[in-house]
Amino acid sequence: MTRTSKSVVVTLVVIVVVAALAYIYASPYIALDRVKRAADARDAQTVNQYVDFPALRDSLKQQITELLTRRVDIQKSGNPLAVIGAMIGAALVGPIIDSYATPDGVAAILNGIPPRGNPGERPPAPPAAGAPSEGTNQANQETPAPAPASGIATAQESPRQPPQTTAGYRSFDTFVVTYQHGAGDAHYSAIFRRSGLVSWKLVAVDLNG
């Protein structure tokens, strides 16, 4: 092999290695884009490829239960009816989890509309055929309503603008997408875990950010 041929081979190998490393690095961003598109389209078959629903259910159960526990802790020294309302909310954790551990729920989570632990809460319905499916339109479907005397909201909060989104690696096997609607506003995270060298799955949410 001539020196020129060796140089060409080495160059090709370097290009292939760099391209492979770049693809591995970009793989969670690609997975995020694909699962969001599939969830917005309610393509359950594709969503199933990118979501570990048993793990997501466990995470939702833990996070929503913690939300309600903190709510009780804050309110128990005040109006006794607030505690009763929170206890009722705790009894409804199962239905909230069932509604969010679905393609509709995944679409809501990835569009800035996380569960908030409110009784009877459900993710927004899919947009009508031909209508844009961005988080803004989903958020606009939320109907504001005054909180009852118990202090436990029973409806979604008022419409919001699309959230500010940041994404990045937390570790080699963990990729986190954080959503925040504005400076000082509460934020939450969607957590992806590596499932193979370039495959990723949504496995958890962190409602505390």
Side-chain angles (χ1 to χ4, degrees):
M1 182 180 293
T2 65
R3 179 175 300 177
T4 301
S5 298
K6 289 182 179 179
S7 298
V8 171
V9 170
V10 169
T11 300
L12 290 175
V13 169
V14 170
I15 291 173
V16 170
V17 170
V18 170
L21 292 175
Y23 182 73
I24 292 171
Y25 178 82
S27 59
Y29 296 93
I30 296 171
L32 172 62
D33 178 69
R34 288 176 179 173
V35 69
K36 186 179 182 305
R37 289 176 182 273
D40 287 344
R42 299 327 191 254
D43 179 356
Q45 183 175 358
T46 301
V47 170
N48 286 337
Q49 297 175 14
Y50 291 96
V51 180
D52 183 339
F53 278 108
L56 180 61
R57 286 181 64 87
D58 289 343
S59 175
L60 286 167
K61 181 178 181 180
Q62 176 185 353
Q63 293 290 308
I64 294 173
T65 301
E66 288 179 359
L67 278 178
L68 292 170
T69 300
R70 288 195 300 272
R71 199 171 293 169
V72 170
D73 289 341
I74 292 172
Q75 297 173 342
K76 66 183 179 182
S77 60
N79 183 357
L81 294 178
V83 179
I84 296 175
M87 292 173 64
I88 293 173
L92 298 176
V93 167
I96 297 174
I97 295 170
D98 290 341
S99 66
Y100 271 86
T102 62
D104 282 357
V106 171
I109 290 169
L110 297 181
N111 279 296
I113 311 172
R116 302 188 182 279
N118 298 324
E121 183 178 16
R122 297 182 61 85
S133 59
E134 294 299 321
T136 305
N137 295 306
Q138 291 185 344
N140 287 340
Q141 294 176 15
E142 301 178 9
T143 303
S150 65
I152 302 301
T154 56
Q156 298 283 358
E157 295 185 353
S158 57
R160 293 181 172 185
Q161 295 301 313
Q164 302 171 9
T165 305
T166 58
Y169 282 88
R170 181 173 290 175
S171 68
F172 179 74
D173 292 327
T174 305
F175 182 82
V176 178
V177 188
T178 300
Y179 302 82
Q180 185 170 5
H181 282 275
D185 194 10
H187 57 285
Y188 73 99
S189 300
I191 301 172
F192 289 76
R193 292 255 164 78
R194 191 183 296 274
S195 177
L197 186 59
V198 295
S199 298
W200 294 81
K201 288 192 174 185
L202 175 64
V203 297
V205 292
D206 181 354
L207 299 180
N208 299 311

